[in-house]
Amino acid sequence: MIETASEAGTSIVGMLQADAGSLLSLGGRTAGVLQVSDWAFVATNWEYLLAGTVVTMLLTITSLSLGFLAGFPAGAIEVYSSGRLSDVVSTFGVLLRGTPIVVLVVLVHFGLPLPRFGSIPWLEVDLTAFLSATLALGLRSGAYQSQVFRGAIQSIDDGQLAAARSVGMSSRQAIRHVVFPQALRRSLPGFQNEFTIVLKDTSIAFAIGLAELLTRAENLYLQPGQGTAVLEVILTITAIYFVLTFVTNRSLEAIHRRYSIPGGTE
Amino acid sequence: MSVDETEPAAVGDLPGRRRLVVLVVGAVFWTWLLTRWIYHNAALDRIFSTLGLPGLIRSEVPVRDREPWLSPEPFASAADSVASFGHGSGLPEVATGWLVWLCDLLAFSIESAPALAEGAYVTVYLTVVSILLGLAIAVPLSVARVYGGTVLGRLSLAYTELIRGTPLLAQLFLLYYGLPLASVIESLGFVGSGWVPGPAAFVAIVGFTINSSAYQSEYIRSALQSVDEKQLVAARSVGLSKWAGIRHVVLPQGLRYAIPGWTNEFVYLIKYSSLAAFITVSELFGRAENIVTDTFRTTDVYVILALFYLALVLTTALAMERVAASVAIPGVGQPDGDR
Amino acid sequence: MSLLHFENVSKSYGDEEVLHDVSFQLDAGDVEVIVGPSGSGKSTLLRCVNRLTEIDDGVISLEGEDIHAMDENTLRRRVGMVFQDFNLFAHRTARGNVTLGLTEVLGLSKHEADERAEQYLQQVGVADQADAYPAELSGGQKQRVGIARALAMDPDLMLFDEPTSALDPELVGEVLAVMRELADDGMTMLAVTHEMGFARSVASRLAFLEDGQIVERGPPEQLFEQPQHDRTDEFLGELTDLNR
């Protein structure tokens, strides 16, 4: 435990102590100004940043998937079961939604006895950190997705359930064939929302040293002599994030349009 | 991005019994927190000193030296006695282990309380100031978007899309490490002395304000758009100008529709203010990190931290509900329970 | 043996008694129309027949069997229901609405289900809309799909809960025409409706329900021309004014 704790000590405090003063002026060159030499520095490290982008995307996808797998049943449970199970699920939901994601990520990474994996070649990512980040981001996303799903289920007119039952379907069949298909479709906007949120929040993995985009940005400008490139590096990764969220949203919207029921509000 | 990027149900509904628990715990929590803040507030100290009561407020005590008001001793010794009882009786570790951990945790949280309270102060004022400033920017921003015509509308849209499409942490890094904003603020002289927070806090406020303004303008925009067009038509036919109509008829209704969004935004900012720690602000998360480096008790600290944030978030959500109820007009912007 | 038998049926919601000691019998092939002021319990009565609502007192029997003793899903295969708001499955085409029950409840293969669906959609006159989604259909078409959906289960009894009340006036006729044909084919029907023209020409019996009790019941002609209760006369008078 001491090992991980001291890791905690150095990685986060180290970053907290990143001396703002010394970054701002470096031997005559200044940081707040855009310079060609700094852009060149960014350009030379394109592969490093690309790997970071890939890690960010991977993390987003794994977290969202976990979120869906956890959130979908959680939402259904909150609607359809009463009693202990539903209470437990909703309490977990409140806990996950009420705690800052940073706290969740460090809690998972330093608090849970996770197995120590190695790292992946080329991507050079610490798998344990990746797992912690996925768990934290995924479970939190699941807590939000459960609410989306719950709302979608509840928005489906009771009458359709009555119709399904009067044709002889059991409650379970009615829910499975009439409620869920429509609820899933109605959850799409909320899911799309979650995608962007999780994508941006992968930057939180910075706190546990996962080599995603933001961490790599810092690694670049903290290299000796590269302090003036801070602005260029951060602008670059900000642009990358923007492109990612933009493209993702447009694609999801296109998919949504393609699969929507004509004339329906789904 | 036409999808409304609002987070659904910030915290969710709190059914009866749990709500009561939150209310009670919340009341105790806030009483303690507020007393701590008042007790160590520099501005109040000056006031009371001039009034002839210098000892009432102790703002000069640095955070490290502050003593907790409750003694952690009983809990620490309780932990010890349960532990020895457990060993002696031969019960499995699991049965007594959690109780020992719990007593230990309680003792530890009492010891950490003063530092955390100081951090919470920063968290709260960061949040409140940023939301208010953000609102001041968001209202004209959203009015420009809805009523401003193509150029203003597009500009407003671009601003919002850009801010909402990039991570808050990256924005903070940009402002603090990328731009010379911090040193510019520092050169203003009065910063960092007395009760005025340091430059990092200012930069954090700038960052949160910009971020919050983008999100708030979205909430307000959709709220404005849910006010029936005919309301404005009616206002104009009574003789009000377009802007007067917006101001006196559309906004009062629209802003009420936006209340669920605000609750979301408040809760969001309380949680994400934790990111300020990454630009050296000593708010709640930052203080917790200090405790971690001092004691190495990572899990314990983070558990206490999570509970602390939870207390802030849940009490805020409940308070906002009260606010919403008190300004509610029948038929206008009733929360549909899902946002 | 009667097809449907209500014996001293009562139902309350909290303190409010919605059905009070209701008794009547339907034989196979009968077409019974129930009328009454709103809140009189008409919809509740219908929903008790397929146990969407459970009664508090009394017995309802279908072909001599107490429906409460049956498995409710089995019961609902034998009793079809058509709703005021259509309640079509919004995510499925017209054909899909009909086949869902066939595949999931009756266990038919997709092919068999499709064939059967075609047949019933044809019967109600919406075969050309088989691939349309509910949102693309007119009210009258939706209701006819609803009727086809219920019919496809091959029920012994059909329940109609104000089937035309949500329709624009010019669409009412097409739905009533389908119902008339069903009656002519010998289907046993229990319908809540305000369409008096339909009642007079198609119904074998008319029942006037008020405050949860059957005030009067008999052939439509009798209730219209020689009602035994003033209230019946009053109410039917109001109804026919509406219909005019």
Side-chain angles (χ1 to χ4, degrees), chain A residues 16 97 144 192-193 200-201, chain B residues 6 11 164 215 271-272 277:
Chain A
L16 283 180
R97 291 188 297 269
Y144 279 105
Q192 209 173 316
N193 206 15
K200 292 184 293 174
D201 276 350
Chain B
T6 54
V11 159
R164 286 168 62 221
Y215 282 95
K271 293 188 292 175
Y272 280 83

Side-chain angles (χ1 to χ4, degrees), chain C:
Chain C
M1 175 179 56
S2 61
L3 188 78
L4 182 68
H5 190 36
F6 263 60
E7 283 173 277
N8 308 108
V9 172
S10 298
K11 168 75 190 172
S12 304
Y13 284 113
D15 287 334
E16 211 192 315
E17 193 170 35
V18 175
L19 289 177
H20 179 68
D21 204 25
V22 174
S23 302
F24 67 92
Q25 267 190 35
L26 272 187
D27 291 325
D30 281 354
V31 175
E32 176 118 0
V33 169
I34 303 179
V35 296
S38 55
S40 56
K42 312 182 307 263
S43 274
T44 312
L45 192 153
L46 278 187
R47 294 172 82 96
C48 289
V49 177
N50 69 352
R51 288 179 63 193
L52 282 180
T53 302
E54 297 284 9
I55 55 177
D56 295 327
D57 230 333
V59 181
I60 303 179
S61 333
L62 187 68
E63 288 180 323
E65 276 178 77
D66 181 352
I67 65 170
H68 201 75
M70 286 183 218
D71 167 44
E72 55 183 23
N73 297 325
T74 318
L75 167 67
R76 292 175 188 143
R77 289 182 217 174
R78 296 166 62 183
V79 177
M81 190 165 205
V82 176
F83 301 84
Q84 179 177 351
D85 289 326
F86 330 126
N87 290 339
L88 294 187
F89 306 135
H91 62 306
R92 295 176 70 105
T93 59
R95 182 189 296 114
N97 263 267
V98 180
T99 56
L100 187 57
L102 299 177
T103 50
E104 298 309 314
V105 179
L106 297 183
L108 299 186
S109 74
K110 182 174 183 315
H111 183 66
E112 290 170 330
D114 280 343
E115 264 183 22
R116 193 134 146 191
E118 280 298 326
Q119 181 195 326
Y120 283 98
L121 289 174
Q122 181 93 287
Q123 183 180 334
V124 301
V126 288
D128 56 334
Q129 300 291 334
D131 290 310
Y133 283 92
E136 299 171 303
L137 300 173
S138 73
Q141 289 168 327
K142 282 193 254 215
Q143 194 57 295
R144 285 185 279 155
V145 172
I147 295 175
R149 177 176 64 182
L151 277 183
M153 303 297 289
D154 204 13
D156 299 321
L157 169 66
M158 282 283 281
L159 305 172
F160 292 85
D161 192 354
E162 303 215 35
T164 56
S165 300
L167 295 176
D168 289 336
E170 65 270 18
L171 300 173
V172 169
E174 61 195 56
V175 174
L176 290 182
V178 170
M179 288 169 69
R180 191 182 304 257
E181 260 178 52
L182 268 183
D184 290 342
D185 286 340
M187 173 64 75
T188 317
M189 296 162 55
L190 184 56
V192 170
T193 180
H194 290 181
E195 295 295 328
M196 290 300 95
F198 176 82
R200 285 181 98 128
S201 53
V202 180
S204 33
R205 247 185 324 273
L206 187 63
F208 174 52
L209 195 70
E210 188 175 42
D211 292 329
Q213 289 178 289
I214 297 182
V215 173
E216 204 169 325
R217 187 169 174 259
E221 293 317 306
Q222 183 195 306
L223 266 72
F224 278 108
E225 260 116 68
Q226 285 154 356
Q228 289 176 319
H229 295 255
D230 286 335
R231 252 317 270 157
T232 314
D233 192 25
E234 231 182 282
F235 185 77
L236 289 179
E238 281 165 30
L239 267 193
T240 35
D241 280 341
L242 265 172
N243 278 164
R244 210 158 279 147

Side-chain angles (χ1 to χ4, degrees), chain B residues 5-338:
Chain B
E5 274 194 35
T6 54
E7 288 218 324
V11 159
D13 306 311
L14 284 176
R17 198 177 23 153
R18 269 181 276 170
R19 169 177 288 232
L20 193 60
V21 168
V22 173
L23 275 172
V24 170
V25 173
V28 172
F29 172 75
W30 275 102
T31 315
W32 164 73
L33 201 58
L34 286 169
T35 324
R36 263 285 169 198
W37 292 349
I38 294 172
Y39 191 59
H40 293 284
N41 186 286
L44 283 179
D45 198 0
R46 214 171 308 156
I47 297 175
F48 277 103
S49 300
T50 50
L51 285 178
L53 295 166
L56 195 61
I57 307 279
R58 324 291 300 304
S59 67
E60 71 286 358
V61 182
V63 183
R64 279 186 176 281
D65 298 335
R66 293 181 192 174
E67 291 298 314
W69 290 336
L70 206 60
S71 170
E73 282 315 304
F75 295 99
S77 42
D80 287 335
S81 34
V82 173
S84 48
F85 168 76
H87 289 320
S89 70
L91 283 172
E93 176 74 37
V94 195
T96 49
W98 68 270
L99 193 55
V100 176
W101 177 76
L102 192 62
C103 294
D104 241 341
L105 193 71
L106 282 169
F108 186 50
S109 33
I110 292 172
E111 285 165 14
S112 326
L116 292 179
E118 189 62 24
Y121 179 66
V122 179
T123 295
V124 169
Y125 81 65
L126 281 181
T127 306
V128 171
V129 174
S130 306
I131 279 216
L132 291 176
L133 290 179
L135 178 61
I137 299 178
V139 172
L141 204 60
S142 51
V143 170
R145 170 91 179 272
V146 178
Y147 297 107
T150 358
V151 176
L152 272 181
R154 290 248 184 89
L155 279 175
S156 172
L157 179 64
Y159 175 89
T160 322
E161 294 291 87
L162 208 61
I163 306 293
R164 286 168 62 221
T166 51
L168 177 54
L169 193 51
Q171 292 166 9
L172 288 175
F173 270 44
L174 186 67
L175 288 170
Y176 191 69
Y177 295 116
L179 298 174
L181 191 60
S183 57
V184 166
I185 292 176
E186 197 160 16
S187 62
L188 288 177
F190 62 85
V191 166
S193 55
W195 54 272
V196 182
F202 276 95
V203 177
I205 290 178
V206 171
F208 290 139
T209 299
I210 294 176
N211 192 271
S212 185
S213 68
Y215 282 95
Q216 288 193 59
S217 85
E218 265 308 288
Y219 293 133
I220 298 177
R221 175 193 67 82
S222 80
L224 287 179
Q225 286 176 330
S226 41
V227 175
D228 199 336
E229 274 185 328
K230 301 184 200 140
Q231 295 280 310
L232 191 55
V233 171
R236 307 231 41 211
S237 58
V238 156
L240 291 167
S241 74
K242 185 176 179 192
W243 295 109
I246 292 172
R247 205 183 130 219
H248 293 284
V249 174
V250 179
L251 275 181
Q253 294 184 56
L255 291 179
R256 279 182 177 78
Y257 279 117
I259 288 180
W262 272 326
T263 311
N264 272 5
E265 187 59 21
F266 228 122
V267 167
Y268 176 89
L269 258 189
I270 292 176
K271 293 188 292 175
Y272 280 83
S273 63
S274 49
L275 298 183
F278 292 81
I279 57 171
T280 78
V281 178
S282 268
E283 44 66 72
L284 193 50
F285 187 71
R287 294 273 175 198
E289 285 297 305
N290 290 341
I291 300 177
V292 167
T293 40
D294 284 345
T295 65
F296 288 110
R297 295 174 66 164
T298 37
T299 320
D300 290 346
V301 174
Y302 292 138
V303 168
I304 296 170
L305 187 63
L307 291 173
F308 207 110
Y309 271 111
L310 218 67
L312 288 173
V313 164
L314 291 179
T315 48
T316 304
L318 280 183
M320 286 303 288
E321 238 176 79
R322 273 294 158 74
V323 169
S326 66
V327 296
I329 299 174
V332 177
Q334 295 304 316
D336 50 41
D338 279 336

